[in-house]
Amino acid sequence: MAKEASLPSSWSPQFKEFARYLAFLSLFSIIIFGPRNSDPYFMQKGIENTFTMQEFQHDVSFTTMNSKEQVIEWMEKILVPNLYPLNAYNGDALNENEQTFVGGVNKRLGQVRIRSIKVRPDSCTIATELKDKIFECYGAPTEENELKTDWIAANNANVTIPYGSEKAPGWYSPHTTISYTGNGHFIDISDNRAEANEIVAAVKENNFIDFATRAIFINANFYNANVDLVGVVKFSIEFISSGAIQTSAAIRCSPLIRPVRVINGDGASGFDSFVFFLEWVFYVCVLGYIVVEYRFYKKNRSTYFSSVWNVLDFVNLSFFFCVMILKVLSVIYVQSEFDSIMNSNNYIELEWVSYFLKQVDNTNAFNAVLTWFKLFKFMRENKKMSQLVDTLEVAGGDMLVVCVIIVIVASGYGIAFHLAFGHAVSSYRDFPEALFTLFLATLGEFDVDDLRNNNTALGPVLFVTFIVVVFFIILSMFLAIVDKAYEVVRLQLEDVVDDVDPLTRDVLRVVNIPLNIINKIYFIFTGKGAEIEPTQVVAEVVEEKKSVKEKKTDTPDHKFKALYDDAMGRIDLLKKNQIELQAMLGRIQNSFLPAVSAAPEVAGEEEEK
């Protein structure tokens, strides 16, 4: 078979860069998705069901508690019996080791810790007229308002709970938007069920949860050998200054000790060892990319950040570097504390390291978007594949204006809904929550009944005007801008009949390799078939593009468009000639004006003579 014009024997620079990045992306995907499954979710769900979903009163569970009495009852009937089980489900007694398993599968690691945050009785100001009736005022749980002395029971001076400073990580409540320090009064419960019951009874008898209490945190750690996961659990009970009680549970299940088991050769599977090795190979690749990017930055210091792709690379590599640092620190910490984590009889502080590992997942989640989006940088080599980026570029300016309009409208309505319904409807209790609720309303998720029940007049007015302005007007503007920009890009693509770009050409060469192998095998057995040359594929693609354009030029619409364009071109030429003619007449007129004005004077002189 005759061959077409030969292709370059070497690979193009674009394809080499694309191949390197594709290998980098594949490595990232393997270490992210390879060791992941649904085990963390089901372990978290099991712990959550055990401690927070069981009812200890009719329709009352951990998530619906609303009084101090119910908090104590939950600790007596749900928390302690499940943390320190004595009998199996059939009534058989459990031995000492079996009593450390929650639900029979989650081994309790170390002691359970109870921490309370209290405020001083003078942490807020009382109105002068009421000082003779109200003698104590307990403010918000800020560090300045905290009670920083040992707590002594009012009815028993022998009961004292020491105050500790920064012995635990601070915590921000997403429900109440209150930040709590790591200070407080600490109670550690040993592995003894009887001691746990005594502590809960003492908490109740000595009124440990009093008016000064702003939060109770209960921390416990578990290890599930079946799935090799460590669960770090925090039950939070907030006693808000306004009188309400807000409960929440943070349960993080992660392979905390798995890397250390791989390093120590402690029974880790071959797959876990392979993924662990690939992960550090990936971090070496990240360092290599950082070096390359830094050299490129030094050469193009003044124009580096003018490119969107350079900014994306900078942000992407910065996050990868942070992930690498957090992962190294967590492995070092777990390695140094491995024996105490598995065998200690004291409370083990794992909240920090589990928080770091969660931030690793959060950062990788954001980085996954950036890493995959970078493929559009290479797709720009092919005009057809670059339509998304080209559309965004064309519509960028107009979309920015619409986004500013959206921010203005959303801010106004967010403040309005918060002021009107924030006191009664949870969805509008603060400004950020109100904005998020309004965003959901544009997607069709809203509850008009709550608004109407709280304000029959203002509720429907605000809601209807918001939907009309945002959904029917602004969103229509946004879609119209995108549609117009895409139409411009599509029309530009219709006239593109260039040869295949180097990147696409080399990709076709790679795709062609298995086809040729199959053809050769088929030829060996049948004597038929021919090798498919890369040049043939490229030529066919180019020829297809040309034939598509020729077909378009044969259509009546295209002929009319060509005729119209020719007529408009001739009109533009006539306009240009007319302008030049007018300019020429103007110059002629200006040259004759002096002669015309001088003619009467000459005639007068001749008459006098």
Side-chain angles (χ1 to χ4, degrees):
M1 173 181 179
K3 295 184 178 181
E4 306 288 340
S6 61
L7 286 170
S9 59
S10 60
W11 302 101
S12 64
Q14 296 91 330
F15 179 78
K16 292 179 180 178
E17 184 182 1
F18 174 70
R20 286 193 296 266
Y21 187 76
L22 205 59
F24 177 82
L25 182 60
S26 301
L27 193 59
F28 173 67
S29 300
I30 291 173
I31 65 173
I32 291 300
F33 296 108
R36 291 187 178 273
N37 52 34
S38 59
D39 290 338
Y41 168 77
F42 285 111
M43 180 179 176
Q44 179 266 343
K45 196 66 177 176
I47 297 174
E48 184 181 31
N49 291 338
T50 300
F51 291 99
T52 67
M53 305 304 292
Q54 294 189 47
E55 296 181 359
F56 54 90
Q57 292 181 5
H58 178 65
D59 287 340
V60 179
S61 62
F62 174 82
T63 57
T64 58
M65 294 188 302
N66 55 24
S67 68
K68 295 181 176 66
E69 293 78 12
Q70 290 179 350
V71 173
I72 295 296
E73 189 172 355
W74 171 76
M75 296 173 69
E76 292 174 337
K77 294 183 178 180
I78 302 297
L79 181 67
V80 172
N82 285 290
L83 282 176
Y84 307 92
L86 297 178
N87 303 97
Y89 72 95
N90 59 358
D92 292 345
L94 301 177
N95 59 42
E96 184 177 354
N97 181 62
E98 291 173 339
Q99 292 177 13
T100 63
F101 285 83
V102 175
V105 293
N106 296 316
K107 165 74 174 176
R108 190 177 65 253
L109 301 177
Q111 296 181 338
V112 177
R113 168 167 288 182
I114 301 176
R115 175 169 69 101
S116 73
I117 292 182
K118 299 177 179 291
V119 295
R120 303 188 320 273
D122 60 345
S123 53
C124 55
T125 305
I126 304 173
T128 305
E129 292 78 3
L130 297 175
K131 284 186 177 180
D132 59 335
K133 300 179 180 65
I134 301 175
F135 307 103
E136 296 176 338
C137 184
Y138 301 95
T142 62
E143 189 171 2
E144 295 77 15
N145 293 339
E146 279 187 17
L147 178 65
K148 298 183 179 181
T149 59
D150 294 347
W151 181 82
I152 301 175
N155 56 356
N156 190 348
N158 295 325
V159 178
T160 302
I161 298 178
Y163 173 82
S165 178
E166 296 297 337
K167 295 177 65 176
W171 183 66
Y172 172 80
S173 171
H175 305 283
T176 61
T177 66
I178 298 175
S179 296
Y180 298 92
T181 65
N183 310 330
H185 300 83
F186 295 83
I187 304 174
D188 290 343
I189 307 175
S190 67
D191 287 340
N192 191 294
R193 169 74 173 269
E195 181 181 343
N197 287 328
E198 290 176 2
I199 290 177
V200 173
V203 167
K204 178 179 180 180
E205 180 181 352
N206 296 291
N207 195 28
F208 180 66
I209 305 177
D210 52 12
F211 292 111
T213 305
R214 284 292 166 261
I216 294 289
F217 301 106
I218 302 172
N219 295 79
N221 304 310
F222 304 99
Y223 174 67
N224 191 316
N226 300 334
V227 291
D228 195 21
L229 295 176
V230 174
V232 180
V233 182
K234 172 189 277 187
F235 301 109
S236 305
I237 308 169
E238 302 175 71
F239 301 91
I240 307 172
S241 304
S242 57
I245 294 178
Q246 177 66 50
T247 62
S248 60
I251 305 172
R252 300 192 188 104
C253 301
S254 60
L256 194 67
I257 65 173
R258 191 176 298 170
V260 177
R261 292 186 63 192
V262 172
I263 295 174
N264 297 340
D266 185 18
S269 66
F271 179 75
D272 291 337
S273 302
F274 174 70
V275 172
F276 182 76
F277 170 75
L278 289 184
E279 184 173 2
W280 294 105
V281 171
F282 174 77
Y283 292 144
V284 172
C285 295
V286 169
L287 292 177
Y289 265 111
I290 290 175
V291 172
V292 172
E293 200 67 24
Y294 177 71
R295 290 177 178 175
F296 181 75
Y297 167 75
K298 289 182 66 176
K299 293 180 180 178
N300 306 273
R301 191 185 301 267
S302 59
T303 60
Y304 179 81
F305 289 104
S306 61
S307 171
V308 175
W309 301 112
N310 291 340
V311 174
L312 188 146
D313 285 336
F314 175 80
V315 174
N316 195 15
L317 293 175
S318 299
F319 279 129
F320 274 133
F321 184 76
C322 294
V323 166
M324 182 176 63
I325 296 300
L326 290 176
K327 202 62 180 289
V328 170
L329 292 177
S330 63
V331 171
I332 292 175
Y333 176 80
V334 175
Q335 174 72 30
S336 62
E337 302 291 334
F338 184 72
D339 292 336
S340 62
I341 291 173
M342 304 308 294
N343 303 307
S344 176
N345 293 323
N346 300 319
Y347 174 74
I348 308 167
E349 183 55 72
L350 295 178
E351 195 171 353
W352 271 121
V353 66
S354 69
Y355 173 79
F356 286 152
L357 288 179
K358 182 58 181 176
Q359 298 315 307
V360 167
D361 288 342
N362 293 339
T363 308
N364 280 334
F366 180 74
N367 245 0
V369 178
L370 299 182
T371 305
W372 281 90
F373 264 47
K374 191 179 174 181
L375 287 176
F376 288 111
K377 174 183 178 181
F378 302 98
M379 291 182 179
R380 296 207 68 187
E381 297 291 332
N382 186 296
K383 293 298 182 181
K384 291 289 185 182
M385 300 296 292
S386 65
Q387 294 183 64
L388 173 63
V389 178
D390 292 341
T391 301
L392 292 176
E393 287 183 356
V394 174
D398 294 334
M399 290 174 65
L400 182 61
V401 174
V402 175
C403 288
V404 173
I405 296 174
I406 292 175
V407 170
I408 294 173
V409 173
S411 298
Y413 274 98
I415 295 173
F417 275 88
H418 172 59
L419 292 177
F421 309 103
H423 67 287
V425 182
S426 174
S427 302
Y428 306 101
R429 62 181 179 270
D430 53 40
F431 181 66
E433 194 69 22
L435 287 179
F436 186 71
T437 303
L438 292 178
F439 174 75
L440 293 179
T442 61
L443 302 179
E445 183 178 340
F446 49 82
D447 191 347
V448 184
D449 291 336
D450 283 345
L451 305 180
R452 295 179 62 185
N453 293 337
N454 284 277
N455 195 320
T456 55
L458 188 59
V461 170
L462 286 177
F463 178 77
V464 171
T465 55
F466 173 77
I467 292 298
V468 170
V469 172
V470 174
F471 191 80
F472 292 105
I473 299 177
I474 297 179
L475 186 59
S476 298
M477 293 169 54
F478 191 86
L479 295 177
I481 291 171
V482 175
D483 183 66
K484 181 181 177 181
Y486 177 70
E487 185 65 20
V488 171
V489 173
R490 191 181 64 81
L491 291 175
Q492 292 175 351
L493 290 176
E494 288 183 354
D495 297 330
V496 175
V497 196
D498 298 330
D499 291 340
V500 177
D501 59 275
L503 178 59
T504 304
R505 180 198 66 204
D506 290 340
V507 169
L508 291 174
R509 293 173 64 185
V510 173
V511 172
N512 228 26
I513 293 175
L515 296 178
N516 282 328
I517 294 175
I518 294 173
N519 269 339
K520 288 180 179 178
I521 296 174
Y522 181 74
F523 179 77
I524 292 174
F525 288 99
T526 64
K528 300 179 181 180
E531 182 178 359
I532 302 175
E533 294 294 333
T535 49
Q536 179 184 351
V537 178
V538 174
E540 290 175 356
V541 173
V542 176
E543 188 64 29
E544 182 181 355
K545 284 186 173 183
K546 291 181 179 180
S547 62
V548 169
K549 186 174 182 182
E550 289 175 357
K551 289 180 181 179
K552 289 182 178 180
T553 57
D554 292 337
T555 60
D557 291 340
H558 190 277
K559 292 180 179 179
F560 176 78
K561 184 178 182 300
L563 182 61
Y564 174 79
D565 292 340
D566 181 66
M568 294 303 297
R570 293 178 182 273
I571 291 174
D572 291 337
L573 182 60
L574 289 175
K575 288 181 179 180
K576 182 179 178 181
N577 294 336
Q578 183 180 4
I579 293 173
E580 292 179 354
L581 180 60
Q582 288 178 349
M584 183 182 298
L585 291 175
R587 288 194 298 270
I588 294 174
Q589 184 178 1
N590 291 335
S591 64
F592 277 101
L593 280 178
V596 172
S597 60
E601 297 180 358
V602 175
E605 292 177 357
E606 292 179 351
E607 289 178 357
E608 290 177 358
K609 290 181 179 182

